[in-house]
Amino acid sequence: MSQAEAPESEAPGTDGPPRRLPRRWSLGLLRSEIGTTFLRWRTLALLAVLAGVPVLVGIAVKIETGRGGASGGSGGGEGGPAFISQVTNNGLFLVFTSLAVTLPFFLPMAIGVIAGDSLAGEANAGTLRYLLVAPAGRTRLLLVKYATTLTFCLVATLVVALSALATGALLFPLGKVTLLSGTSISLGEGLLRALAIACVVALSLTGLAAVGLFLSTLTTSGVAAMATTVGLLITVQILDTIPQLHAIQPYLFPHYWLSFADLLRDPVYWDQLQKDLGLQALYVAVFGSAAWARFTTRDITA
């Protein structure tokens, strides 16, 4: 069978131009990659840990309340766990509290592991070259890897939110939601705001996902890429707390992460939210382009 008669899914010959792959093949690669990622024991363990955090927070608040102690803290700053004081009155606030607790470290750490291992792990296992011969194409494969990481961002955030919602419903009453501005809304509207907050949190992690993907193109060791991504996360978090560095802090990707609390105001404060999403888009553009430049010119030997 000649090359002209070969089906579209076959690899092109060395003398001819690369053949455009059908869209169904790309979707199949994406489904396969998502399935492989979420069936790994490491991924399941990360999701289990994330699901356990709201349970521990809810039980701790319940025990403290049973002892007659105060469960809340001061409500200031950019929203943090300030609304933990509302958990005993409305279990829905456990969703917001759990996202605020997991966002500084647990959620981004999990994202760093998945993003850092995305390409470096394939190279270390010796399967990266096979994927490129399949044929996937470097740009297409890079996009699939990033899309898979973004899917994990959303799933991980929803796991935290749903675990917190279930725990809050079991341990505390549910009802009308009193926003941080003092306005009361129905439980249904509160659930919609919780969903919107989960989506904003997931979008807030897209910049870190792009950084992790870029670091994954620099090495053939998945462990090294994961450790570097998590180490960079910790370093940037520390820099964001040093007052003397206030000039550069607005450009650090986690600086506006807790701005999701502004969705619990009436009217919603959009300024910090827009800065957060704009900053994440900038990181995606810069580090996504760097990852593409590196990966498309890299000598794949594994």
Side-chain angles (χ1 to χ4, degrees), residues 96-112:
F96 314 134
T97 300
S98 298
L99 289 173
V101 168
T102 56
L103 186 53
F105 182 72
F106 292 102
L107 269 172
M109 182 196 69
I111 303 305

Side-chain angles (χ1 to χ4, degrees), residues 119-120 211-221 225 228 290-291 294 298:
L119 291 168
V211 172
L213 185 68
F214 168 65
L215 293 175
S216 189
T217 66
L218 301 179
T219 178
T220 58
S221 172
T228 303
R294 165 63 179 167
R298 175 178 166 184

Side-chain angles (χ1 to χ4, degrees), residues 60-62 64-65 68-73 81-89:
V61 173
K62 186 69 173 179
E64 186 68 15
T65 302
S71 61
F83 26 71
I84 194 173
S85 60
Q86 302 287 340
V87 172
T88 55
N89 299 323

Side-chain angles (χ1 to χ4, degrees), residues 246-288:
H246 66 277
I248 67 170
Q249 288 170 349
Y251 302 100
L252 302 178
F253 59 82
H255 185 68
Y256 298 106
W257 273 356
L258 294 179
S259 62
F260 71 80
D262 288 340
L263 286 172
L264 291 175
R265 304 182 188 277
D266 188 22
V268 174
Y269 294 174
W270 293 106
D271 182 58
Q272 300 293 309
L273 288 168
Q274 290 174 348
K275 289 181 179 179
D276 177 34
L277 298 181
L279 184 62
Q280 303 310 318
L282 177 63
Y283 270 82
V284 170
V286 172
F287 285 93

Side-chain angles (χ1 to χ4, degrees), residues 126-171:
T127 55
L128 183 57
R129 188 169 186 147
Y130 170 78
L131 283 174
L132 293 176
V133 174
R138 299 195 181 199
T139 300
R140 193 183 302 265
L141 180 60
L142 190 69
L143 290 174
V144 166
K145 291 290 185 180
Y146 188 60
T148 302
T149 305
L150 294 185
T151 302
F152 181 82
C153 290
L154 180 60
V155 171
T157 305
L158 290 178
V159 163
V160 173
L162 292 175
S163 175
L165 180 60
T167 303
L170 287 174
L171 299 180

